[in-house]
Amino acid sequence: MKFAITDVYLFWWPVTVRMPDPEKAGKIVEQSFEAQFEALNEDQAHEIDAAFRNLESEEERRGHQHDVLRRVTKDWRGVLGADDKDQPFTADAFDLCLKQGWFRAGMYEAYRQAMAAEEQGDGPTAKN
């Protein structure tokens, strides 16, 4: 695959959420889905960091502490709602998930891996 220059680069990446098993005390269960991320360039990342640093109160910072995830996450697939049907990606659904520490940890780790170009999965590695 040849390198292509683009203003906006969107890609799908696997996300693994490790959380307490609801059935087995003291055990962890892994749940997976895919998120569509937008790669931020260096200027965009610095802009988000600067905006956060300029917030004046702790309350404002709490309200904006996960803005980077809100900015880079564009969609998801493989996420089920309470009715066991596909849950469409919406800002409200995403914010509800962000309230869980294990969800945030999985999302931050997935984005970090993607931006560090750490390939995932057991499939063949592309070396073009």
Side-chain angles (χ1 to χ4, degrees), residues 63-79:
H64 292 277
Q65 66 184 342
H66 304 298
D67 279 357
V68 69
L69 282 181
R70 288 183 186 97
R71 169 69 173 79
V72 301
T73 308
K74 302 300 181 185
D75 200 356
W76 61 28
R77 57 188 179 201
V79 174

Side-chain angles (χ1 to χ4, degrees), residues 1-6:
M1 174 184 277
K2 294 185 179 188
F3 181 75
I5 298 173
T6 180

Side-chain angles (χ1 to χ4, degrees), residues 42-105:
E42 188 174 12
D43 292 340
Q44 293 166 323
H46 286 306
E47 192 175 292
I48 290 172
D49 288 343
F52 184 79
R53 283 192 308 273
N54 289 332
L55 296 172
E56 294 184 13
S57 72
E58 188 59 35
E59 184 177 338
E60 285 180 310
R61 285 186 203 95
R62 265 195 312 277
H64 292 277
Q65 66 184 342
H66 304 298
D67 279 357
V68 69
L69 282 181
R70 288 183 186 97
R71 169 69 173 79
V72 301
T73 308
K74 302 300 181 185
D75 200 356
W76 61 28
R77 57 188 179 201
V79 174
L80 300 178
D83 58 1
D84 283 338
K85 294 182 180 176
D86 284 338
Q87 171 66 51
F89 181 83
T90 65
D92 288 341
F94 190 66
D95 281 343
L96 181 64
C97 292
L98 282 176
K99 292 180 181 183
Q100 296 297 334
W102 47 74
F103 178 83
R104 292 190 310 268

Side-chain angles (χ1 to χ4, degrees), residues 8 12 18 20 30 36 39 52-53 75 95 100 118:
V8 177
W12 289 96
R18 299 183 75 239
E30 290 185 351
Q36 185 183 48
F52 184 79
R53 283 192 308 273
D75 200 356
D95 281 343
Q100 296 297 334
E118 294 178 11

Side-chain angles (χ1 to χ4, degrees), residues 9-26:
Y9 188 75
L10 299 175
F11 60 93
W12 289 96
W13 201 260
V15 177
T16 300
V17 177
R18 299 183 75 239
M19 55 199 294
D21 188 321
E23 303 297 324
K24 299 176 185 169

